[in-house]
Amino acid sequence: MSLQKSALSVRENAYAPYSNFKVGAAIRSEGGTIYSGCNVENVAYPEGTCAEAGAIAAMVAAGETRLSEVYVIADSPHPVSPCGGCRQKLAEFGTGDVVVTMANLDGVEQKMTLADLMPGAFGEHHMENT
């Protein structure tokens, strides 16, 4: 299954009773396996989980820690971008040249690298003296 199909399919399982904004994400690990996740809302809004975080958690639970490609899709007039927190999470497991495809249900896609999405990202190199 492609990243696009995986993200589109898992999006249908999103739990979004408050916003009705369903998001699906799929990531390909360096090993080539696709992991997917969807947003899971909670009545206490800060306690929800983003789709990208769910996909990353599935990858890590399977024993992998490096991603090589990302696809995010939602029903939006414009391709949907990962939130700031998810950008940092993606940067934790991917290099700056990882391509992130952002899409909407109308088939509009926008591709950017993690470095483009998160210039100056906080990373391991900041922790070298600790």
Side-chain angles (χ1 to χ4, degrees):
M1 181 179 284
S2 73
L3 281 179
Q4 178 189 29
K5 287 181 182 177
S6 184
L8 187 60
S9 176
V10 75
R11 181 189 163 278
E12 293 302 317
N13 296 334
Y15 180 76
Y18 308 105
S19 71
N20 293 313
F21 191 73
K22 294 183 174 189
V23 181
I27 58 177
R28 185 181 318 278
S29 69
E30 281 188 344
T33 303
I34 294 175
Y35 299 95
S36 59
C38 58
N39 57 318
V40 179
E41 293 181 350
N42 188 292
V43 69
Y45 285 133
E47 300 305 317
T49 305
C50 295
E52 299 89 339
I56 290 168
M59 178 183 72
V60 172
E64 296 196 67
T65 58
R66 301 304 300 166
L67 58 88
S68 63
E69 191 177 359
V70 180
Y71 195 99
V72 183
I73 190 166
D75 187 8
S76 175
H78 306 284
V80 65
S81 174
C83 71
C86 284
R87 291 176 191 205
Q88 183 66 49
K89 289 175 180 82
L90 291 168
E92 178 73 17
F93 297 99
T95 58
D97 62 346
V98 167
V99 174
V100 178
T101 302
M102 300 160 284
N104 67 15
L105 296 183
D106 294 328
V108 178
E109 293 184 347
Q110 179 182 7
K111 294 180 186 286
M112 297 179 79
T113 64
L114 278 176
D116 291 335
L117 281 172
M118 187 109 171
F122 183 77
E124 290 177 12
H125 62 281
H126 291 103
M127 303 293 289
E128 290 175 356
N129 291 333
T130 59

